[in-house]
Every structure is written in C-alpha cells, then in structure tokens.
Amino acid sequence: MTIPTGTVPLYKEERSMGHDTLATNLRNVAIIAHVDHGKTTLVDGLLKQSNVFRDPDAAGELIMDANDLERERGITILAKNTAIFYEGIKINIIDTPGHADFGGEVERVLNMADGCLLLVDAVEGPMPQTRTVLQRALEIGLRPVVVVNKIDRPAQRADEVVDLTQDLFLDLASDAEQLDFPVVYAVARDGKAGFTPDALQDDLRPLLDTIISSIPAPAVDLEAPAQLLIASLDYDTHRGRVAIGRVHRGVIKAGDTMLQIDPDGTQQRQRISTLETFDGLKRKEIQEASAGDIIAICGFSDAKIGATLADPSAPDALAPIAIEEPTLKLSFGVNTSPFAGREAKYSTSRQLRERLFRELETNLSLRVESTEQADVFAVSGRGELHLSILIETMRREGYEFQVSRPEAITRKIDGEIYEPIEHLQIDTTEPFVGTVTELVGGRRAQMMNMVNDGRGNVRLEFAIPTRGLIGLRNAFLTATKGNGVMASRLIGFEPFYGPIDSQRTGALVASETGTALANGIANAQERGVIFIEPQTEVYEGMIVGQQPRQGDLVVNVCRAKKLTNIRSSTSDIAVKLTPPTILSLEQSLDFLADDELLEVTPKSYRLRKRLLSADDRAKERKRAAIAAGQTY
C-alpha cells in the first residue's frame, strides 16, 4: 500500500516563537535501537510506501545498507541520511547503527534530530545498547516515540516490553515531559503499524501520524547569520568531499563564502560550490537551505566532522561533538612475514600511516598513535567488532599489514589501575545457566541480576572487565550450542578486577617454509586441530593449528610420503584428512596470544609467531624465565 505524499516548499507555514520560528513543514528524526531490532527494515518500509521507488517490490531489502560489509554481516555500520514526504511535510530520517561498538556513529549524528524513534523488539525488550542510545538521546533533549517491533513473533510479550521500557525511561529521563511518550506497535518487515498490538493497519500511516504530532518541528532563527555543524562526510568523484549537517540558524545559499572553524580553532574560508538536500535515496541540488534542514555542501576540501561552518560576519563555533573514549587497542604494523608484498597493492609504512590517519576523519571513535617503532601504530577503538571492521575494510582496499592481540585500555587514578567494565546481558535457556555462569566467572564477571520468565528462558546480567569479553563470544556460542544471545555496553572504569587465567592451549607451529601436503597434515592432525588445507603455502613460524595442551608444538606439515619400490595396498596409499577449522577474522583475533600476530592481506589471514625461528623463541623464553627469577 502506498501512502499519499506531497512535495511542498519547506517552511511554507511558519509559526513565530519570539526570535525563533517553527518550521512546521519539517521533522528531523533519528531511528535508534539495539542491533537487529529492525531499524533498517523499518526505513525500508517507509521508503517503499512513500513513492520513492517506481517499483517498491523490486527495491529489495536493507536498502540503506549499501556497504558490502553491512549486507554480508546484516548490521548497520555507518549512520545514513534519507528523507520522505508525508502529507506535505518533509521527514528527514537518520538511520543509525545498533551495535555498541559503533556508538560513535550514533553520537555524532543525533544532534541533527529533534526527536527519535526508539525501536524495541517485542520479545527481547530493552537491551544494553537500547539504554546507551536512549540515554544519549534524552541528554540532548530529543522527544521520543517508542516503536514495539516484531509483534508477529509467537513469543511476543508487547505489554511486558512496554512496562520494561517505561522503567528504562524512569531511570534515564531528565525531564518530566520525556516520560510522556507515545507507543506504536509494528511489524516493520511487512510495513504494518497500529496503536494496539492486535489492530495493525496495512501501512505505516499510524507511525507517520505519530511522528508529525509528537516530534516537534525545528525552532529556527532565519534572520541570524548562517551556521552549520558538520556531522558526517561523504565523497563525490566529481565534486570531492561532501560535508553533511543540519543548518542551525540562518539561510545558506549556493555560492556563499563560509568560514570553517575546526575543533582545534583553525579557521579557513571556502566558497560553497554546490548545495544539496536529501530526497529519498538521492540528493537534490538546491539554491538555498533554511535553518532546520539537513543538507550536503560541496566546496570545502578540508571539511572535518565536528567543524562549524559559519557566516564570516559572525564566526561563532558550535559545541564539538562529544564522543566516548575507546576501550580496546591493538597495534597495526608493516607485514614482516616471508610472504610480505605478494598479495597487496599497499604494504609500506607510509601507505599504512596515511590510511589509518585518514580513517580518523570519519571514524570519530577511533584513536591512532605512533609508537617507538616507525612502522607500528597503536590503534584504539570501542570494541573487537569496531576494530575488526576497520581491518576488513582496509584488507578489501588492497592493504597488507599485521595486527596484535587486542587488549583493554586501562587508566591510572590516584596511583591505582582502573579498567573498563561492561554490563554483559545474556539470554539463554535453563539447561545452560550453569555453563554460562562458570564460563564468565572465569573471566572475573560478577552477577548483577538473573530473571527467569517461567517458560524456560533466562536473562543473566553481569559486570565484566572489557578484557574478559575478548574471545568470549565464540566460547559462549560453543558452550550454549548456539542457544543464546549476548550483548554488552560500557558502564565505566573500576579498580582492576585481577588477573584472568589464559583460556587458550598451545599452537601447532610450522617448522619450515613450503607447501603443506596431505601426508604432513595427516601427521599434524593427530596432535590437534588443523587450520589449513593441503597445498596451502606456509612458512617457518606460521601457526597451522591448535593442540589440546599448554605450550607450542612444532610440526612439519610440508613432509611428503617417502617413496619406495615396495607396492602398498590402497588403504595405505589413501590419506584421510579431517576437514580443517578455518578461522574468521574475529576468531583469529580471539585466538591470538601475546607472542603472536595476525597477518592480514587482501587474499589471506595467517596466524604467526612474532619470532618466526624456533631458536629465537627458545632464547626469548629463556630470557623471560631468567628475568622472572626462574630456573630454565
């Protein structure tokens, strides 16, 4: 079903509010939620029902997720803008990521909105990231609309979820008006919405009506000098860098000269070459834009997120965008393996440095620092997924490098070490409660709450050090046989919880460089789990598997079967190999020990020892033992 739409000039109707005017023909809305609660699917429904596509059925799904990684992983990574028209009113929509690791994307775009749609799953209810993004939205004064999504699920508990959401608002609201929020029920996948769970309309009109009536129009001052805060960047092959942001005051015209004020106070004048506004999935060129609208500006070659574009006659900078500090770090270094330079276009320290520092322009949650080694850089992010997405993106762009094991970023306060602590929420079933509790208990987790819904489902909540989450996801899925969901959010820094015993056993390390053969792998698989296939190129010091005991074991996977002039039976000739365990990027990062690295190229992931020679590793162990006062 198609919703009637209409495009009208913005601000045709304006209502005075002292010096400010209400732009009644405009609404700016951010869609926020926990991962996989249906944000992007809801945007799909709104776009399909708003005459954006000639054939809505052919538009597909995850329309806003144009990035290959987003489609492959089924998550939103980058915040994006779109716009629809409903009953003559333009609704600017900001689609945001739902994973806590990409919280920086949410934080930098929320200031463009006047209200937010908070999506909550009708079964899962409020999750850790729901609290995080809602708290940020309420702090900056956004008016919320709660959307209870997926109410067609057999296990839906919409009434209970609404009660839990109200409790969440009571904890976070700073204004009594924020507690009076409308609730809309929806099945975003089918494009349906309604005001009661059992009476949905065949379109999203109830949701759009609620947006128009509940989310305030922007209060703007059209007479003041122009001012805009850059919240996002894009790139156009013909026009160069594109700055995206909301006009906070005044009127901006194509051809105007504006003053760019960077967060560090640097100023430079540039001329606006092109002005664009959002219209569906496209940007439409316009001649002028008024306060309240979200626009894209070309002409500022050095535009930076957080910079203010202001009229030179009133060079007032807006408050910079507040971003939480990162919690995990690892090192990026030039690839030093024997196979370096074989598979990549970019492999030098200069190219690696330029790419990492260029990432800082758009990835505000990231930190990059030089180290004592000229070809190694310390990179800090908000979590394993945040860093792994950067690694995968660079790999696909043709870069080659090596990374270390992630480690938590600690702080020293009054001479005491403080570490980041996360609120871990686990949903599983009763048979796995003991297994999960034992698993996270070994990682210094402290139980905060446990709720059994009486139907065999249990929600466990823990306070756990960030370093305890490294490698936990894979161990959790294995322990629960896939019957569980885990999510976490940063809650602060606390005194060091104590050491965590290593969960990992030793590695199987290749003893020589060459091509892995079936006979060598067959001998090695008797000693552990193998990570490679026959005909894989290996080098001395490369990790080819994992053994069940502590300590590393050197194996020769390149050894061929000796030929003799004695005829062998067919059973002797056939070599039976167990299918190898091929590790993903996240699994490889989880696997790493302190003395190991992950080699990343456009074609391969290779686990390796820092010191490739077995003799060098033995000498290093001896030096470490002597330094620790142990006999070797």
Side-chain angles (χ1 to χ4, degrees), residues 296-312:
I297 294 177
C298 302
F300 288 77
S301 58
D302 295 323
K304 297 180 176 64
I305 293 176
T308 300
L309 301 185
D311 189 309

PDB file of all heavy atoms in Angstrom, residues 296-312:
ATOM      1  N   ALA A 296      23.678  18.819   2.337  1.00  0.00           N
ATOM      2  CA  ALA A 296      25.034  18.423   1.957  1.00  0.00           C
ATOM      3  C   ALA A 296      25.682  19.577   1.211  1.00  0.00           C
ATOM      4  O   ALA A 296      25.059  20.184   0.339  1.00  0.00           O
ATOM      5  CB  ALA A 296      25.001  17.177   1.082  1.00  0.00           C
ATOM      6  N   ILE A 297      26.919  19.895   1.563  1.00  0.00           N
ATOM      7  CA  ILE A 297      27.629  21.037   0.993  1.00  0.00           C
ATOM      8  C   ILE A 297      28.923  20.571   0.336  1.00  0.00           C
ATOM      9  O   ILE A 297      29.692  19.813   0.930  1.00  0.00           O
ATOM     10  CB  ILE A 297      27.957  22.079   2.087  1.00  0.00           C
ATOM     11  CG1 ILE A 297      26.670  22.704   2.628  1.00  0.00           C
ATOM     12  CG2 ILE A 297      28.885  23.159   1.556  1.00  0.00           C
ATOM     13  CD1 ILE A 297      26.901  23.688   3.760  1.00  0.00           C
ATOM     14  N   CYS A 298      29.161  21.026  -0.900  1.00  0.00           N
ATOM     15  CA  CYS A 298      30.416  20.757  -1.598  1.00  0.00           C
ATOM     16  C   CYS A 298      31.213  22.051  -1.695  1.00  0.00           C
ATOM     17  O   CYS A 298      30.643  23.141  -1.738  1.00  0.00           O
ATOM     18  CB  CYS A 298      30.150  20.210  -2.997  1.00  0.00           C
ATOM     19  SG  CYS A 298      29.172  18.691  -3.036  1.00  0.00           S
ATOM     20  N   GLY A 299      32.525  21.913  -1.764  1.00  0.00           N
ATOM     21  CA  GLY A 299      33.385  23.080  -1.888  1.00  0.00           C
ATOM     22  C   GLY A 299      34.397  23.210  -0.776  1.00  0.00           C
ATOM     23  O   GLY A 299      35.352  23.982  -0.891  1.00  0.00           O
ATOM     24  N   PHE A 300      34.217  22.440   0.307  1.00  0.00           N
ATOM     25  CA  PHE A 300      35.146  22.502   1.439  1.00  0.00           C
ATOM     26  C   PHE A 300      36.050  21.267   1.383  1.00  0.00           C
ATOM     27  O   PHE A 300      35.699  20.196   1.876  1.00  0.00           O
ATOM     28  CB  PHE A 300      34.379  22.572   2.757  1.00  0.00           C
ATOM     29  CG  PHE A 300      33.718  23.902   2.993  1.00  0.00           C
ATOM     30  CD1 PHE A 300      32.546  24.236   2.338  1.00  0.00           C
ATOM     31  CD2 PHE A 300      34.282  24.845   3.837  1.00  0.00           C
ATOM     32  CE1 PHE A 300      31.940  25.459   2.530  1.00  0.00           C
ATOM     33  CE2 PHE A 300      33.694  26.079   4.042  1.00  0.00           C
ATOM     34  CZ  PHE A 300      32.511  26.391   3.376  1.00  0.00           C
ATOM     35  N   SER A 301      37.210  21.424   0.777  1.00  0.00           N
ATOM     36  CA  SER A 301      38.102  20.282   0.535  1.00  0.00           C
ATOM     37  C   SER A 301      38.672  19.704   1.820  1.00  0.00           C
ATOM     38  O   SER A 301      39.056  18.532   1.867  1.00  0.00           O
ATOM     39  CB  SER A 301      39.240  20.682  -0.396  1.00  0.00           C
ATOM     40  OG  SER A 301      39.971  21.776   0.153  1.00  0.00           O
ATOM     41  N   ASP A 302      38.734  20.511   2.890  1.00  0.00           N
ATOM     42  CA  ASP A 302      39.293  20.035   4.156  1.00  0.00           C
ATOM     43  C   ASP A 302      38.223  19.937   5.238  1.00  0.00           C
ATOM     44  O   ASP A 302      38.518  20.083   6.432  1.00  0.00           O
ATOM     45  CB  ASP A 302      40.403  20.978   4.632  1.00  0.00           C
ATOM     46  CG  ASP A 302      41.599  20.977   3.691  1.00  0.00           C
ATOM     47  OD1 ASP A 302      41.916  19.897   3.174  1.00  0.00           O
ATOM     48  OD2 ASP A 302      42.205  22.043   3.478  1.00  0.00           O
ATOM     49  N   ALA A 303      36.977  19.691   4.839  1.00  0.00           N
ATOM     50  CA  ALA A 303      35.889  19.598   5.818  1.00  0.00           C
ATOM     51  C   ALA A 303      36.164  18.477   6.811  1.00  0.00           C
ATOM     52  O   ALA A 303      36.662  17.413   6.444  1.00  0.00           O
ATOM     53  CB  ALA A 303      34.563  19.349   5.103  1.00  0.00           C
ATOM     54  N   LYS A 304      35.848  18.727   8.078  1.00  0.00           N
ATOM     55  CA  LYS A 304      36.067  17.750   9.142  1.00  0.00           C
ATOM     56  C   LYS A 304      34.799  17.609   9.972  1.00  0.00           C
ATOM     57  O   LYS A 304      34.077  18.587  10.198  1.00  0.00           O
ATOM     58  CB  LYS A 304      37.219  18.191  10.062  1.00  0.00           C
ATOM     59  CG  LYS A 304      38.572  18.286   9.394  1.00  0.00           C
ATOM     60  CD  LYS A 304      39.631  18.731  10.393  1.00  0.00           C
ATOM     61  CE  LYS A 304      41.018  18.751   9.776  1.00  0.00           C
ATOM     62  NZ  LYS A 304      41.147  19.731   8.696  1.00  0.00           N
ATOM     63  N   ILE A 305      34.534  16.385  10.421  1.00  0.00           N
ATOM     64  CA  ILE A 305      33.399  16.163  11.317  1.00  0.00           C
ATOM     65  C   ILE A 305      33.653  16.915  12.621  1.00  0.00           C
ATOM     66  O   ILE A 305      34.737  16.846  13.197  1.00  0.00           O
ATOM     67  CB  ILE A 305      33.198  14.663  11.577  1.00  0.00           C
ATOM     68  CG1 ILE A 305      32.760  13.946  10.290  1.00  0.00           C
ATOM     69  CG2 ILE A 305      32.157  14.433  12.669  1.00  0.00           C
ATOM     70  CD1 ILE A 305      32.617  12.455  10.423  1.00  0.00           C
ATOM     71  N   GLY A 306      32.641  17.636  13.070  1.00  0.00           N
ATOM     72  CA  GLY A 306      32.782  18.431  14.286  1.00  0.00           C
ATOM     73  C   GLY A 306      33.137  19.878  14.029  1.00  0.00           C
ATOM     74  O   GLY A 306      33.092  20.695  14.951  1.00  0.00           O
ATOM     75  N   ALA A 307      33.501  20.204  12.775  1.00  0.00           N
ATOM     76  CA  ALA A 307      33.812  21.589  12.424  1.00  0.00           C
ATOM     77  C   ALA A 307      32.515  22.374  12.214  1.00  0.00           C
ATOM     78  O   ALA A 307      31.488  21.821  11.838  1.00  0.00           O
ATOM     79  CB  ALA A 307      34.673  21.646  11.174  1.00  0.00           C
ATOM     80  N   THR A 308      32.578  23.688  12.447  1.00  0.00           N
ATOM     81  CA  THR A 308      31.435  24.574  12.246  1.00  0.00           C
ATOM     82  C   THR A 308      31.649  25.392  10.983  1.00  0.00           C
ATOM     83  O   THR A 308      32.741  25.922  10.748  1.00  0.00           O
ATOM     84  CB  THR A 308      31.275  25.530  13.446  1.00  0.00           C
ATOM     85  OG1 THR A 308      31.063  24.768  14.632  1.00  0.00           O
ATOM     86  CG2 THR A 308      30.094  26.469  13.243  1.00  0.00           C
ATOM     87  N   LEU A 309      30.593  25.484  10.160  1.00  0.00           N
ATOM     88  CA  LEU A 309      30.599  26.394   9.023  1.00  0.00           C
ATOM     89  C   LEU A 309      29.749  27.593   9.421  1.00  0.00           C
ATOM     90  O   LEU A 309      28.571  27.448   9.753  1.00  0.00           O
ATOM     91  CB  LEU A 309      30.019  25.724   7.772  1.00  0.00           C
ATOM     92  CG  LEU A 309      30.725  24.449   7.274  1.00  0.00           C
ATOM     93  CD1 LEU A 309      30.108  23.975   5.972  1.00  0.00           C
ATOM     94  CD2 LEU A 309      32.213  24.680   7.114  1.00  0.00           C
ATOM     95  N   ALA A 310      30.340  28.768   9.418  1.00  0.00           N
ATOM     96  CA  ALA A 310      29.645  29.954   9.912  1.00  0.00           C
ATOM     97  C   ALA A 310      29.809  31.119   8.942  1.00  0.00           C
ATOM     98  O   ALA A 310      30.765  31.166   8.151  1.00  0.00           O
ATOM     99  CB  ALA A 310      30.184  30.343  11.288  1.00  0.00           C
ATOM    100  N   ASP A 311      28.862  32.047   9.018  1.00  0.00           N
ATOM    101  CA  ASP A 311      28.949  33.286   8.263  1.00  0.00           C
ATOM    102  C   ASP A 311      30.187  34.054   8.761  1.00  0.00           C
ATOM    103  O   ASP A 311      30.378  34.217   9.965  1.00  0.00           O
ATOM    104  CB  ASP A 311      27.688  34.116   8.493  1.00  0.00           C
ATOM    105  CG  ASP A 311      27.613  35.323   7.570  1.00  0.00           C
ATOM    106  OD1 ASP A 311      28.603  36.067   7.504  1.00  0.00           O
ATOM    107  OD2 ASP A 311      26.567  35.526   6.936  1.00  0.00           O
ATOM    108  N   PRO A 312      31.065  34.520   7.844  1.00  0.00           N
ATOM    109  CA  PRO A 312      32.273  35.231   8.289  1.00  0.00           C
ATOM    110  C   PRO A 312      31.985  36.445   9.168  1.00  0.00           C
ATOM    111  O   PRO A 312      32.840  36.846   9.971  1.00  0.00           O
ATOM    112  CB  PRO A 312      32.932  35.649   6.967  1.00  0.00           C
ATOM    113  CG  PRO A 312      32.433  34.658   5.964  1.00  0.00           C
ATOM    114  CD  PRO A 312      31.030  34.342   6.383  1.00  0.00           C
TER     115      PRO A 312
END
